[in-house]
Amino acid sequence: MSIKPINSILFVCLGNICRSPLAEGVFRTVLAERGEDLVIDSAGTGGWHAGEQPDRRSIAVAATHGVDISGQRARKVRPEDFSRFDLILGMDRANVRNLEALASPAARGRVHLYLDFATGNAADVPDPYYDGAEAFASVYRMIREASEALAKRLEASASLSSGQASSTM
Ligand code: 4NP
């Protein structure tokens, strides 16, 4: 079986100011800690906040953990994202449904629910926009754990696809 390595990942939520900027920034940090490098970005299915910084509550919770996401800017998902990114991860089921509706049939297989793909737990990362700091802290914890799991999963599939995991010969 051949497994195509994943070189690029797009994290997607609704507004691209609360959850997916955290997923992008935290995953970038986890990759750097592991000495790995992938093309990563984030976007929203909605464009209301395009050009804006992440929500100040996401910036704050990330900063508490030493992750600076203040330089990221929101943007809307674009048609070319479906060919540019090997993996497109929606933060909740509504994001996944919207992404699947935008994707060509050939690209639909690149779209997955974030926590399900990363950890095998098919749960949503809940939208914290209308909630308080504790909701952002909870989202941060989910994303940190998922980011570690995602890095391990990608590393395992990369070594499988390059044959490094084969030791039975
Ligand atoms: P996000 O949160 O999808 O995690 O960025 C939201 C941000 C903005 C809105 C909704 C959700 N909004 O309706 O503007």
Side-chain angles (χ1 to χ4, degrees):
M1 188 171 82
S2 101
I3 301 169
K4 188 179 170 296
I6 286 167
N7 295 312
S8 53
I9 305 179
L10 182 67
F11 299 99
V12 176
C13 61
L14 179 59
N16 192 210
I17 54 169
C18 297
R19 293 166 291 174
S20 60
L22 276 174
E24 177 190 344
V26 172
F27 193 58
R28 186 169 282 127
T29 299
V30 167
L31 288 177
E33 284 168 2
R34 299 167 70 94
E36 292 164 12
D37 190 25
L38 290 177
V39 173
I40 63 171
D41 197 2
S42 64
T45 57
W48 314 283
H49 297 279
E52 293 178 15
Q53 271 195 317
D55 187 285
R56 60 185 164 70
R57 296 164 295 177
S58 285
I59 293 177
V61 74
T64 301
H65 296 276
V67 178
D68 181 7
I69 63 167
S70 65
Q72 297 173 203
R73 292 294 178 271
R75 71 170 179 88
K76 193 175 179 183
V77 172
R78 297 189 277 257
E80 58 267 33
D81 288 329
F82 294 94
S83 50
R84 279 186 58 215
F85 291 93
D86 297 326
L87 191 58
I88 301 172
L89 298 176
M91 294 292 123
D92 64 31
R93 287 175 178 81
N95 304 146
V96 169
R97 274 196 304 277
N98 289 330
L99 287 165
E100 285 172 345
L102 292 169
S104 68
R108 217 157 280 158
R110 299 175 182 212
V111 177
H112 298 270
L113 184 64
Y114 171 69
L115 285 183
D116 190 22
F117 190 89
T119 70
N121 172 21
D124 292 344
V125 177
D127 184 350
Y129 188 61
Y130 295 103
D131 298 319
E134 182 45 43
F136 281 79
S138 164
V139 162
Y140 179 88
R141 285 192 295 273
M142 293 171 103
I143 284 175
R144 177 78 207 191
E145 196 180 312
S147 299
E148 310 269 358
L150 180 59
K152 286 189 189 132
R153 177 174 174 173
L154 295 177
E155 197 172 73
S157 61
S159 55
L160 279 176
S161 64
S162 65
Q164 288 169 20
S166 169
S167 58
T168 51
M169 293 182 66

